[in-house]
Amino acid sequence: MTTDIPQTLPDGRPIPLTTGPELPMLESWLDFHRATLELKCAGLDDSQVRLVSAEPSRLTLLGLVQHLAECERNWFQRVVGGLDVAPVFEDATGYALDPGRGIDEALAVWRREIARGREVCAGRSPESVGRIEVAPMAGLEVSLRWVFIHMIEEYARHNGHADILRERIDGVIGA
């Protein structure tokens, strides 16, 4: 008897691998968290993604997307790839909002950074080593495995923030 196991959840997010080689499993978990962030922004307009979570915080869904675009560039291009690339946005954290930049543009930039990161990582083993060049960990060598684990943690933490933001915006909870 064969059972068709779904590859995606009902909301469209990919189900992370539960068995198999390490690097594809790490990639699948990161893809799951990336899809979760995108899901949290789905169906919202530019004014909604600019709503702050709770005073005094200035955290917004748009800011999270921008921040994670910066994280993608930093960890995969700078650290893993050793590339000297400028920040994606004028504020290197990504949190600052530009009145002229909406969610569609921010998501396009974020997707571009993900694609570039995939290119940098292609063919590397989990043991491949990169170097952090900025304080407070400047000079520290990290493996690609470490970067994937860190990015999964980064997205998981910020997806918790995104949960709260989305609930505040329109009451949507879960995922």
Side-chain angles (χ1 to χ4, degrees), residues 116-133:
R116 287 181 178 163
R118 288 185 203 283
E119 291 169 7
V120 167
C121 293
R124 295 180 192 255
S125 75
E127 293 80 21
S128 297
V129 174
R131 183 180 305 277
I132 299 172
E133 297 295 339

Side-chain angles (χ1 to χ4, degrees), residues 148-163:
F148 267 101
I149 292 169
H150 172 68
M151 286 296 288
I152 291 165
E153 173 272 331
E154 184 84 13
Y155 271 91
R157 179 167 32 101
H158 288 312
N159 281 337
H161 298 135
D163 284 340

